[in-house]
Amino acid sequence: IGLLLAVFLWRAGMTENPWTVAVFLTLLGGLLVSADAYRRVRKTASRLRRSVIRRLPRIITGARMVMESGAATPEAALALTVTLYADPAADLLREAIRIKEVHRLSLEDALDQVGTHYGIAPFGQLADAFRIGRRYGTRLSEILANFAQELRREWHASYRERITRAPVLMTVPALIFFVGPLLVLILFLVFTPLFTVLHQL
């Protein structure tokens, strides 16, 4: 697009050195496209993180129910539960379990590693819940229940905050795409007759 614009400007007689303009417009276009791609990737990553945090309490509740049945250890209950779900949270938990088995780490360290790599803080909190349960002998099912409830509360609080901020964030697009063109149209309708009269005088 930068090259085409440079050729157009050169053919229109607006520039005498099309190569400099072509290089400048091409670099500017590449920078704008890269910035837009980076913005879209960040937006997608943020959406996926919110999806993981929203779905994680359901998996933790399922693991707690398996544990309360007395049929599995905490790690086995989590490994069994993630096989029943097909969502991003279950995928990351399966990755943590694979890291634990391949690198011979504890489940807590594997959860910490996955949470740090993908920037999801609740995975570190889940690892701390397992550590507390093992170190102090607390019933892990109760810890997981409280952890899932706290995650749901935090997610609902952030959701309400996004809803509250939405009208404020929508004012900028409204000003750009509605108020701005309307103001330009009004100014055009007002000042065009005035300039015509002044030109005739």
Side-chain angles (χ1 to χ4, degrees):
I1 293 174
L3 292 173
L4 291 176
L5 286 175
V7 171
F8 174 76
L9 294 175
W10 175 62
R11 296 290 291 178
M14 301 178 66
T15 180
E16 296 180 356
N17 189 0
W19 298 110
T20 304
V21 177
V23 170
F24 174 74
L25 291 178
T26 302
L27 292 177
L28 180 62
L31 182 63
L32 292 176
V33 170
S34 300
D36 182 66
Y38 178 74
R39 181 189 62 81
R40 285 188 279 111
V41 168
R42 289 291 300 268
K43 184 178 180 180
T44 303
S46 178
R47 178 177 54 81
L48 288 174
R49 287 191 185 98
R50 288 197 301 268
S51 176
V52 169
I53 294 173
R54 181 169 62 90
R55 297 174 185 271
L56 187 60
R58 182 178 63 168
I59 299 176
I60 294 174
T61 302
R64 179 180 65 85
M65 293 176 65
V66 174
M67 286 179 54
E68 288 181 347
S69 67
T73 62
E75 296 181 6
L78 189 62
L80 176 63
T81 305
V82 296
T83 61
L84 305 176
Y85 296 95
D87 54 47
D91 293 338
L92 292 185
L93 287 173
R94 279 193 289 270
E95 182 176 344
I97 293 172
R98 277 197 303 270
I99 290 174
K100 167 186 171 296
E101 295 174 352
V102 172
H103 297 284
R104 298 184 181 278
L105 300 173
S106 64
L107 181 61
E108 295 88 345
D109 293 337
L111 288 171
D112 277 333
Q113 185 173 337
V114 171
T116 303
H117 181 72
Y118 292 102
I120 301 176
F123 272 68
Q125 298 170 4
L126 181 61
D128 292 338
F130 276 101
R131 289 190 183 97
I132 291 172
R134 289 182 177 177
R135 179 172 298 179
Y136 299 105
T138 310
R139 288 190 58 190
L140 197 56
S141 60
E142 296 179 0
I143 295 177
L144 292 180
N146 295 330
F147 178 65
Q149 185 177 1
E150 186 64 26
L151 273 183
R152 288 190 178 95
R153 187 181 301 114
E154 290 178 359
W155 186 85
H156 286 301
S158 65
Y159 184 72
R160 287 193 298 269
E161 182 181 354
R162 289 199 304 270
I163 291 176
T164 305
R165 288 197 340 245
V168 179
L169 296 176
M170 287 300 295
T171 56
V172 176
L175 289 173
I176 294 175
F177 296 106
F178 180 73
V179 178
L182 185 61
L183 184 60
V184 171
L185 179 62
I186 292 173
L187 292 176
F188 177 77
L189 293 176
V190 170
F191 285 103
T192 299
L194 180 61
F195 285 138
T196 304
V197 172
L198 291 176
H199 182 70
Q200 292 175 354
L201 292 176

